[in-house]
Amino acid sequence: MTTPSLPRRLAAEAVGTALLAAVLIGSGIRSAALSADGGVQFLANVLASVLALAVLIALLAPVSGAHFNPLVSAAAWWTGRRTGTGPTLRELGGYVAAQLVGAVAGAGLANTMFERPFLELSGRQRSAGHLWLAEAVATGVLVLLVFGLLRSGHGGWAPVAVAGWIGAACWGTSSGSFANPALTVGRALSDSYTGIAPASLPLFVLAQCAGAVAGLGLLTVLFGRSRDRAPDDARELLVR
């Protein structure tokens, strides 16, 4: 099976991230409109989001690896840089750009579907040390999970396992487990239930980056170094 062309892979990353952002933000808007109970709102939002994540990974991983997350793409580059098994720096730049464009488009789509302005800045402040710690934990375990599955030969569990961790982390962390810089940017463009104020973005993303670095460190400690597997290869993630 040949690797899909870079344009196809970038299109898959943009489309997948856009649909994920649309469901995440749209389900938040819907749940807030249907119930005043915060627990019900959160449950509905998390359930819709993790279902969409699992489906999109299963659908698009054969095309692009279904990263939908700049830090997953960066980790794939880092772990494969010496052997040439990961994406190149050029491909990494393309992936990140596609994911960011997709997240913005998905936010606009969600807003439009619920008769809101296409893009609107969120007013929800999320700035505190415990939230940054939670983001680091959620992102670090996500990176550890994705690449740990690959190195242990259980990549076929990725759709269920990744969605499962995100769902658990949404409930088990104080930040609600954004764990994705692209989706964090998208959330900043919807003044709704899942939003985050632009002023809160830099430290949120910095915490996510720190968590990803910690996750890569734990990956080496727990699974050793991989010399013969490509972390961004969708066939490895879904077939093994």
Side-chain angles (χ1 to χ4, degrees):
M1 180 178 178
T2 60
T3 301
S5 66
L6 182 59
R8 283 180 58 198
R9 284 181 278 151
L10 298 186
E13 286 296 303
V15 170
T17 309
L19 292 175
L20 184 58
V23 171
L24 190 157
I25 294 170
S27 63
I29 296 173
R30 170 73 76 184
S31 63
L34 293 178
S35 175
D37 187 310
V40 172
Q41 293 173 358
F42 193 62
L43 177 61
N45 182 228
V46 171
L47 180 60
S49 299
V50 298
L51 288 174
L53 180 59
V55 168
L56 290 169
I57 291 175
L59 174 66
L60 295 175
V63 182
S64 68
H67 299 176
F68 311 145
N69 186 330
L71 292 177
V72 172
S73 299
W77 166 75
W78 178 261
T79 55
R81 72 194 187 285
R82 290 193 178 94
T83 59
T85 53
T88 65
L89 274 175
R90 172 175 169 267
E91 290 172 332
L92 173 60
Y95 266 55
V96 172
Q99 291 155 357
L100 288 170
V101 169
V104 172
L109 177 61
N111 288 334
T112 303
M113 287 192 295
F114 287 92
E115 298 183 300
R116 305 169 75 97
F118 181 72
L119 295 177
E120 53 182 359
L121 296 181
S122 174
R124 286 179 173 257
Q125 297 292 330
R126 301 179 190 263
S127 183
H130 67 284
L131 299 179
W132 304 328
L133 175 61
E135 278 302 288
V137 171
T139 309
V141 176
L142 174 63
V143 169
L144 173 63
L145 173 64
V146 170
F147 296 95
L149 285 173
L150 178 63
R151 291 192 181 180
S152 63
H154 296 295
W157 287 96
V160 173
V162 171
W165 167 248
I166 292 299
C170 283
W171 283 97
T173 65
S174 58
S175 66
S177 183
F178 286 38
N180 184 328
L183 291 183
T184 304
V185 170
R187 289 179 183 226
L189 300 175
S190 180
D191 191 20
S192 58
Y193 178 77
T194 59
I196 178 172
S200 299
L201 276 177
L203 290 178
F204 238 68
V205 172
L206 182 61
Q208 292 164 353
C209 292
V213 171
L216 285 172
L218 282 173
L219 178 71
T220 300
V221 171
L222 298 176
F223 294 93
R225 296 182 181 276
S226 176
R227 300 291 184 182
D228 58 357
R229 293 192 181 102
D232 65 329
D233 190 328
R235 288 167 293 171
E236 290 286 316
L237 287 173
L238 290 181
V239 175
R240 284 196 171 211

